[in-house]
Amino acid sequence: MPLSGGGQMPSDEGTSLIPLNKARKAYESADPLASKTYHDSKEMGGEMGESVEMHQTEGGMLKPIIFGGLDGILTSFAIVAGAAGGRLEPSVVLILGFSNIFADALSMGVGEFLSSKAENEWILSERRRENWEMENYPEGEIREMIDIFISKGMSPPDAESVITTMAKYQDFFVDMMMTEELGLQVPDDDHVQESFREGVVMFCSFATFGAFPLLGYVIIPSLFPDLPVETLFLSACIITGIVLFLMGCVKSLFSVAHWFWCGLETLLLGGTCATLAYTIGQLVDGIVH
């Protein structure tokens, strides 16, 4: 698969954008007074169910959207650039481009689903083992967690007090062991559906963004049939550059980096991949001819 690592992504409750709240705005503007004011008002509204601080919950789908989109558009544009460097006909570019995009999109989606599902199942098997150890030898597990908390800087008496209290709640304690001891995040009960959703998002993102570099080869010839092939490639470059920059800007919504620099970073990385593909196409064309 082109760029995807196919790794596990944290499960989240939703994928819709949630506006940045006052706490995040206070952080971004480095305003401690605004942060204090927000948290004080949040506590006052606790009885009305307003004490839970909002966070962005759509980050779990950021990976398949960005990875799938970048994989799709760069794979497609690499074909266009390589074909342009090799001086292939536009019809060949379209055949190679669309067939490759949808085959790779399906492969990426299935791979994302299977890898995510397999990792979740492995994590749950590790949790069953930790739960069994807690039921059969709780003293050893408690001692391990005390040592971990001490290594993180907590004093031995405090670590013993905290861990002993948490150990009274076995499910909570086992989940804590998974995080602190094994570095694993226990998936939700609906992890299979979540993995399937990630695979669908990966497929749609790859196919959608992968079609952009080919639009110039479809739309422009129908409107201006006398334009040279070089113009078609130029249109593909412009469309791809705009989409890459916009994808970088969207990515900035989930970080503290400025939208312009995120967009420029994505554009430069994508441009580097396209330049490499075009150069290789020219070299191969020179060797063949």
Side-chain angles (χ1 to χ4, degrees):
M1 298 179 192
L3 288 174
S4 174
Q8 166 65 14
M9 293 162 291
S11 297
D12 295 285
E13 295 180 356
T15 59
S16 60
L17 289 176
I18 293 179
L20 297 181
N21 58 23
K22 295 179 181 179
R24 176 171 286 274
K25 290 180 179 179
Y27 162 72
E28 292 176 347
S29 60
D31 188 346
L33 180 59
S35 178
K36 179 179 181 302
T37 301
Y38 170 76
H39 284 87
D40 288 345
S41 64
K42 180 187 68 174
E43 292 176 2
M44 292 176 62
E47 295 182 358
M48 295 181 291
E50 299 173 358
S51 60
V52 178
E53 182 175 330
M54 292 195 309
H55 292 274
Q56 290 174 315
T57 61
E58 73 283 1
M61 288 299 161
L62 178 64
K63 182 181 176 182
I65 292 173
I66 296 297
F67 270 29
L70 284 176
D71 281 356
I73 194 169
L74 292 179
T75 298
S76 175
F77 189 66
I79 293 174
V80 172
R87 294 181 294 182
L88 299 181
E89 292 296 323
S91 59
V92 178
V93 176
L94 290 175
I95 293 172
L96 291 176
F98 280 112
S99 60
N100 183 78
I101 284 173
F102 286 99
D104 278 355
L106 182 60
S107 174
M108 293 280 287
V110 172
E112 184 67 36
F113 166 68
L114 293 178
S115 62
S116 177
K117 179 174 176 289
E119 186 167 349
N120 283 332
E121 290 173 346
W122 169 69
I123 292 174
L124 291 175
S125 70
E126 288 296 301
R127 190 190 187 284
R128 287 191 292 270
R129 179 180 63 81
E130 290 288 345
N131 191 65
W132 180 87
E133 292 177 350
M134 184 63 185
E135 290 177 346
N136 290 275
Y137 186 39
E139 296 82 4
E141 295 301 314
I142 291 173
R143 187 162 56 248
E144 287 180 0
M145 288 294 288
I146 291 175
D147 291 340
I148 291 174
F149 275 50
I150 292 175
S151 69
K152 291 180 178 292
M154 188 175 288
S155 66
D158 286 346
E160 183 175 356
S161 175
V162 169
I163 296 302
T164 303
T165 301
M166 289 195 299
K168 297 177 182 178
Y169 310 93
Q170 182 168 326
D171 286 341
F172 169 75
F173 188 69
V174 172
D175 287 344
M176 180 65 70
M177 285 194 298
M178 292 291 293
T179 301
E180 298 295 335
E181 184 179 344
L182 303 179
L184 299 175
Q185 181 68 40
V186 179
D188 295 333
D189 293 336
D190 62 343
H191 67 91
V192 176
Q193 293 90 330
E194 183 71 16
S195 297
F196 180 77
R197 184 159 59 246
E198 291 165 3
V200 172
V201 170
M202 176 71 77
F203 170 83
C204 294
S205 181
F206 191 103
T208 300
F209 286 98
F212 279 105
L214 299 172
L215 290 180
Y217 282 79
V218 176
I219 298 175
I220 294 181
S222 61
L223 299 176
F224 309 98
D226 297 328
L227 288 178
V229 177
E230 291 77 10
T231 304
L232 301 181
F233 178 61
L234 178 61
S235 69
C237 292
I238 295 174
I239 293 173
T240 303
I242 293 174
V243 174
L244 285 173
F245 184 80
L246 292 177
M247 288 184 68
C249 293
V250 171
K251 187 177 64 174
S252 70
L253 295 175
F254 308 93
S255 69
V256 296
H258 192 273
W259 63 268
F260 177 80
W261 298 116
C262 282
L264 184 62
E265 176 189 47
T266 306
L267 175 60
L268 291 177
L269 291 175
T272 301
C273 297
T275 302
L276 179 62
Y278 184 82
T279 303
I280 293 176
Q282 283 188 319
L283 291 176
V284 173
D285 180 69
I287 294 173
V288 172
H289 297 90

